[in-house]
Amino acid sequence: MYAVETRSLSKVYRNGLKAVDEISIKIEEGEIFGFLGPNGAGKSTTIMILTTLLKPTSGMAYVAGFDVVTQAKQVRQNIGYVQQDSTVDEYLTGRENLQLQARLNHMPKNSVNERIDEILDLVELSDRQHDAVVTYSGGMRKRLDIVGGLLHRPKVLFLDEPTLGLDIQTRYKIWDYIRKIHKEFGISIFLTTHYMEEADKLCDNISIIDHGKIKVTDSPKSLKNALGNEVVVFEVDSDLKLGDLLSELKKASLVKDVTAEGYEVTIFSPSGNQVMPKIFEIAGKLGIKIESITLTKPTLDDVFLSYTGRELREESNGYNRKKEREKMRRLRA
Ligand SMILES: Nc1ncnc2c1ncn2[C@@H]1O[C@H](COP(=O)(O)OP(=O)(O)OP(=O)(O)O)[C@@H](O)[C@H]1O
Ligand SMILES: [Mg+2]
């Protein structure tokens, strides 16, 4: 059985927009799976179908082995869902919010308090549990949102953009809590994000989604490796003999491509580590001094770019797009 399985799942909204387009995914039990895509890609729509809040237009979806349409009740019993926007009541305390949620979920009274203690402890909110949520920081609210989804011991936890709008340090902390929850409870996690680093650091597997379609599914590592090339950029102290240096480098093994702009040279290679000493060796022979050198491995940013033709971070202008395409051409081995 899969934690989540969909077959050609689609959603067409009433206005005719196909927000989810023939999505097929399989998420193993115990996996942290990520949906990585830009604004409007269809991430929340997919999550709402999987959590039974929205009916699919066509296709099938199973969560914890249950059909989201015909067995919606069983699905709901087995999932936790943390929405993109916070749903807690600011004027209640952290603990009161969880108690309210437990009542709404018809959880047996006797076990609830113990469970609340356990999960508050897990995300280090015990100290502040009797304070009104209005006094919490963004990160604390998010932690409360997340544990709210864990109250009834779900098998699959859905997190829609768990760190949206939080600063970097807080985001890192939330990742730690998500890892801790995953380890402690052994649950499967389906999360959506448009932060590359989040998908990279947290997920066993990811699907890149754009305009409702899945472009590719794999582990972050395989996706990056598949691009093939690393990039070494170095700066020389003068352009004297630069032409000789470039032609020598072009002949070196493991060098795929060499370009120069002013005093800056860029090399594309499947193994930057092995090329770096060669650069010093050849430059040394020609009496050229290397002022600085950096090695960059492909990021999920580059992977996204290669599958969608644009950057995830922001819509870029024409100039950048041209540069991006050029970069991609070289990154692909
Ligand atoms: N109720 C609706 N009726 C019509 N169109 C909708 C509705 N809800 C969402 N959409 C559209 O469907 C597309 C997918 O939206 P969705 O919210 O699933 O994207 P998302 O990937 O979660 O984006 P974000 O990163 O902004 O949260 C968007 O173009 C959105 O405008
Ligand atoms: Mg969304």
Side-chain angles (χ1 to χ4, degrees):
M1 192 186 71
Y2 293 102
V4 176
E5 184 184 2
T6 72
R7 297 183 200 151
S8 302
L9 189 70
S10 296
K11 176 69 191 180
V12 182
Y13 280 116
R14 244 178 253 152
N15 59 6
L17 186 106
K18 201 167 194 179
V20 174
D21 195 354
E22 305 268 322
I23 277 178
S24 298
I25 45 170
K26 288 184 169 126
I27 306 177
E28 300 279 351
E29 281 180 36
E31 193 176 309
I32 303 185
F33 179 87
F35 242 18
L36 177 68
N39 286 134
K43 305 183 296 293
S44 293
T45 303
T46 306
I47 278 210
M48 284 197 283
I49 295 171
L50 296 176
T51 54
T52 76
L53 298 175
L54 204 61
K55 290 250 183 310
T57 308
S58 61
M60 308 288 278
Y62 305 90
V63 175
F66 299 106
D67 185 314
V68 296
V69 177
T70 61
Q71 298 172 298
K73 193 172 166 220
Q74 288 94 321
V75 169
R76 283 198 289 272
Q77 283 165 350
N78 283 285
I79 60 167
Y81 171 38
V82 182
Q83 296 185 38
Q84 189 166 335
D85 302 311
S86 181
T87 52
V88 296
D89 185 330
E90 292 201 317
Y91 298 99
L92 295 180
T93 68
R95 189 173 190 95
E96 283 165 351
N97 265 292
L98 295 176
Q99 283 166 333
L100 177 67
Q101 199 165 339
R103 270 206 300 280
L104 295 174
N105 286 337
H106 308 292
M107 286 182 66
K109 268 203 184 104
N110 48 8
S111 65
V112 163
N113 278 321
E114 237 170 86
R115 179 64 173 174
I116 291 178
D117 288 339
E118 181 189 17
I119 56 179
L120 282 174
D121 195 40
L122 193 77
V123 296
E124 298 172 289
L125 276 180
S126 304
D127 290 0
R128 298 288 306 275
Q129 61 174 304
H130 299 301
D131 295 336
V133 173
V134 72
T135 68
Y136 286 14
S137 67
M140 291 171 70
R141 278 173 203 226
K142 202 51 178 181
R143 269 138 72 190
L144 186 65
D145 278 336
I146 292 175
V147 294
L150 290 169
L151 265 175
H152 56 296
R153 302 174 200 277
K155 291 200 179 111
V156 187
L157 179 65
F158 291 89
L159 301 173
D160 198 356
E161 306 260 6
T163 65
L164 186 70
L166 299 175
D167 61 68
I168 289 279
Q169 275 90 358
T170 310
R171 196 177 295 161
Y172 288 168
K173 269 182 138 174
I174 297 285
W175 295 352
D176 282 339
Y177 289 117
I178 292 174
R179 285 193 195 101
K180 210 166 142 191
I181 287 164
H182 177 250
K183 201 170 148 216
E184 195 90 354
F185 298 133
I187 56 176
S188 316
I189 297 179
F190 181 116
L191 67 86
T192 73
T193 184
H194 63 266
Y195 296 120
M196 241 108 26
E197 206 190 346
E198 183 158 296
D200 199 357
K201 295 282 156 61
L202 220 45
C203 298
D204 300 308
N205 286 299
I206 62 166
S207 282
I208 289 179
I209 177 170
D210 194 25
H211 298 304
K213 280 197 171 70
I214 287 182
K215 298 289 179 177
V216 65
T217 303
D218 211 331
S219 69
K221 194 168 171 222
S222 308
L223 287 172
K224 287 182 286 182
N225 284 343
L227 285 180
N229 279 333
E230 298 176 355
V231 185
V232 180
V233 178
F234 64 91
E235 210 182 320
V236 293
D237 63 340
S238 92
D239 54 5
L240 232 61
K241 294 208 175 175
L242 188 57
D244 294 343
L245 177 65
L246 297 182
S247 61
E248 284 294 310
L249 282 171
K250 276 179 189 157
K251 282 185 263 167
S253 62
L254 289 171
V255 172
K256 280 264 157 65
D257 199 1
V258 183
T259 59
E261 221 179 298
Y263 288 9
E264 194 183 89
V265 181
T266 305
I267 294 184
F268 293 85
S269 161
S271 175
N273 282 328
Q274 284 171 272
V275 167
M276 287 190 23
K278 275 194 231 165
I279 295 170
F280 284 99
E281 193 191 311
I282 297 168
K285 276 189 199 148
L286 293 167
I288 295 174
K289 202 171 144 229
I290 309 283
E291 299 278 11
S292 66
I293 187 160
T294 56
L295 166 65
T296 313
K297 306 199 176 213
T299 64
L300 276 186
D301 223 343
D302 302 316
V303 174
F304 187 83
L305 178 58
S306 91
Y307 282 100
T308 66
R310 60 204 170 84
E311 289 223 65
L312 191 47
R313 264 178 233 287
E314 58 217 320
E315 288 296 351
S316 47
N317 59 35
Y319 169 73
N320 275 338
R321 233 189 322 267
K322 193 162 156 261
K323 234 178 147 177
E324 284 164 12
R325 267 204 300 274
E326 183 67 4
K327 186 178 171 197
M328 271 334 299
R329 193 179 60 73
R330 296 215 188 83
L331 278 169
R332 272 197 217 105

